[in-house]
Amino acid sequence: MMFALATAEQPALYFSVLGEPPLKMLRYQQQFSFFDSRKINKAVRFINLSDEAAAGDLQKVLTRIASEVVAHRPSFVFVDSFRSVIVASKHAEASSLSLQQFVQQLGMMMTGWQATTFLIGEYTSDHDPDSVFTVADGLHVFAPMQANPADTDGASPLDNRVKMGVPSLDDMMGGGLPRGYSLLVAGPSGSGKSILAAEFLVEGARLGEIGIIAAFEQRPTFSRGRALADVIASEQVKVVDTRSESLSVDEIAMMLVDEVRRSKATRLVIDSLSGFELALAPTFRDDYRESLSRLVSALASTGVTVLMTSELEDRFSDLRFSPYGTAFLTDAIIVQRYVEINGRLLRAMAVVEVRASAHSNELRHFHIDDHGIRIGDPMADYDGLLSGRPTARVAAELD
């Protein structure tokens, strides 16, 4: 596992304790096909802790491990064997650190390292009373998702449209969102993105479809109306638990893809991409666009229709659809904006793109009431609505 995972950019440290010295381990490992001598002391480093462990002083063992991790900043840490450390401490006459303190401090250090740590040991049963089990999370490997094309039987997605739950919006999109498309709904806080996402799921439930919501910002039933809460309670809409911290992109993708396939869902909502980024472990935020691309591709391979919301500041100096430049990853875009007219703050909506499909380019006023989103007529009486300084359009004089 170490030789397969370690690279010069993501190195590994292998701490051996009371077992075989590194030189002997290297001699044995050269017999295997996984061994790569080019990685030694570059991507892979072997460090022997026998002197520190033999003294039985756990503080010295901990200090040595910490200093090597700080010096080399590894992505993977192996301690072989962790049980040897414990055995050595039991035979020592005195140690400045108790076993329980050693385990607790190591656990805190492991969290701060942002490294995957492997504690190797020999245990006769799962019920061995040992404090090491209080810091071990276990191991579940999440491989990058493979984006296999969905089986469409040769049919064009434009021939099969998904109703959004807002009839006027279906008309603006040319008959609804093509099935299997990914849609980005972008707008400032409070503009109605989550409500539109809820209507999308409720409409699917009304038509007998199964939906999924992955809410990264708030409880999935909060501020989205009773209708969504009801379909969640009836299990027509499944909720994917995204409350865990420091998730990897592939872990999130696997959670969503597995739930789509398990429940045979046809609609999926990610609310929102801003919360999605915050849920990622820090090491995955640097390549956020690539991460999101992998997620969208993995979901597209299932054939599910995806709606994602994105938080935007209402800037009038430019027209943006995503704070991360990720709008190109989706098949369709809806933008929501605030406009000020006659001293009132109004909401406006437009369909920016529906790939390979005709759609309206009108900017329409909409409001939200107890029944959801209600879209009005085109805002044709004003110019410059998106500039922040709208002006009333003057009718041309007749000759």
Side-chain angles (χ1 to χ4, degrees):
M1 292 176 67
M2 178 178 64
F3 274 94
L5 294 170
T7 64
E9 294 75 24
Q10 294 185 311
L13 292 184
Y14 196 103
F15 293 99
S16 59
V17 186
L18 294 180
E20 298 162 330
L23 186 60
K24 192 174 182 180
M25 291 183 64
L26 286 172
R27 186 181 305 148
Y28 286 141
Q29 290 176 10
Q30 290 177 16
Q31 304 175 63
F32 295 96
S33 60
F34 65 75
F35 184 83
D36 186 349
S37 60
R38 296 170 298 179
K39 290 190 174 185
I40 302 299
N41 292 330
K42 294 179 181 178
V44 171
R45 292 181 183 273
F46 288 88
I47 299 170
N48 189 267
L49 298 176
S50 58
D51 291 342
E52 291 81 1
D57 191 336
L58 295 179
Q59 183 62 64
K60 291 183 178 180
V61 175
L62 190 67
T63 300
R64 178 71 187 284
I65 293 175
S67 64
E68 295 291 349
V69 169
V70 170
H72 301 291
R73 301 178 62 86
S75 295
F76 308 97
V77 175
F78 296 77
V79 181
D80 182 12
S81 119
F82 193 84
R83 188 174 180 85
S84 298
V85 177
I86 297 172
V87 171
S89 68
K90 291 179 180 179
H91 293 291
E93 295 182 359
S95 175
S96 59
L97 199 66
S98 70
L99 178 59
Q100 186 65 34
Q101 290 173 325
F102 174 79
V103 170
Q104 289 175 348
Q105 291 188 29
L106 180 63
M108 290 188 290
M109 289 169 53
M110 287 163 55
T111 302
W113 291 342
Q114 287 295 321
T116 303
T117 306
F118 298 80
L119 304 178
I120 304 167
E122 306 80 31
Y123 299 92
T124 57
S125 73
D126 293 338
H127 305 289
D128 275 3
D130 211 312
S131 51
V132 66
F133 293 109
T134 65
V135 298
D137 301 308
L139 176 63
H140 194 148
V141 178
F142 296 92
M145 299 296 296
Q146 299 297 319
N148 300 315
D151 184 8
T152 60
D153 297 325
S156 168
L158 302 180
D159 298 333
N160 188 356
R161 301 273 181 156
V162 170
K163 300 301 180 183
M164 297 294 299
V166 183
S168 297
L169 182 56
D170 291 335
D171 295 337
M172 293 173 65
M173 301 184 75
L177 180 64
R179 188 171 294 278
Y181 268 32
S182 56
L183 167 66
L184 176 67
V185 180
S189 177
S191 60
K193 303 182 299 297
S194 295
I195 294 176
L196 178 56
E199 298 219 29
F200 172 74
L201 291 173
V202 171
E203 177 67 9
R206 187 185 69 81
L207 297 173
E209 300 180 42
I210 298 296
I212 296 172
I213 181 168
F216 289 93
E217 291 193 341
Q218 53 184 320
R219 294 190 302 274
T221 55
F222 183 69
S223 298
R224 292 177 173 87
R226 182 172 297 278
L228 179 58
D230 289 343
V231 294
I232 290 176
S234 66
E235 297 190 350
Q236 291 174 283
V237 171
K238 313 293 184 181
V239 179
V240 173
D241 186 3
T242 56
R243 292 172 295 179
S244 301
E245 297 181 355
S246 298
L247 298 170
S248 72
V249 177
D250 299 307
E251 184 175 358
I252 294 173
M254 184 175 291
M255 289 167 58
L256 296 178
V257 169
D258 285 350
E259 183 59 31
V260 168
R261 290 172 175 164
R262 186 195 67 79
S263 62
K264 296 181 172 57
T266 57
R267 301 184 182 216
L268 184 144
V269 163
I270 298 176
D271 187 21
S272 70
L273 294 184
S274 304
F276 167 72
E277 183 194 21
L278 292 176
L280 297 177
T283 50
F284 294 97
R285 295 177 193 167
D286 295 337
D287 60 347
Y288 176 72
R289 291 206 304 173
E290 292 79 0
S291 300
L292 185 59
S293 176
R294 296 206 308 272
L295 175 63
V296 172
S297 297
L299 293 173
S301 69
T302 68
V304 69
T305 305
V306 181
L307 185 154
M308 300 177 287
T309 68
S310 178
E311 187 82 10
L312 288 180
E313 295 181 20
D314 223 341
R315 296 183 178 180
F316 297 105
S317 58
D318 60 355
L319 183 62
R320 297 185 304 158
F321 310 119
S322 169
Y324 312 99
T326 54
F328 72 95
L329 298 173
T330 61
D331 302 304
I333 302 172
I334 291 175
V335 64
Q336 298 174 343
R337 299 292 294 266
Y338 287 118
V339 296
E340 184 270 326
I341 298 178
N342 298 329
R344 297 176 60 198
L345 193 62
L346 305 179
R347 294 180 175 96
M349 179 186 300
V351 177
V352 178
E353 177 188 18
V354 180
R355 188 168 295 169
S357 173
H359 60 85
S360 169
N361 61 1
E362 297 171 330
L363 187 66
R364 293 197 178 194
H365 162 65
F366 73 97
H367 70 277
I368 300 171
D369 58 24
D370 292 340
H371 301 288
I373 292 177
R374 296 292 179 263
I375 299 178
D377 295 329
M379 306 178 77
D381 297 332
Y382 294 87
D383 290 321
L385 286 167
L386 299 182
S387 69
R389 296 180 179 179
T391 56
R393 180 172 297 171
V394 179
E397 295 182 359
L398 297 176
D399 294 334

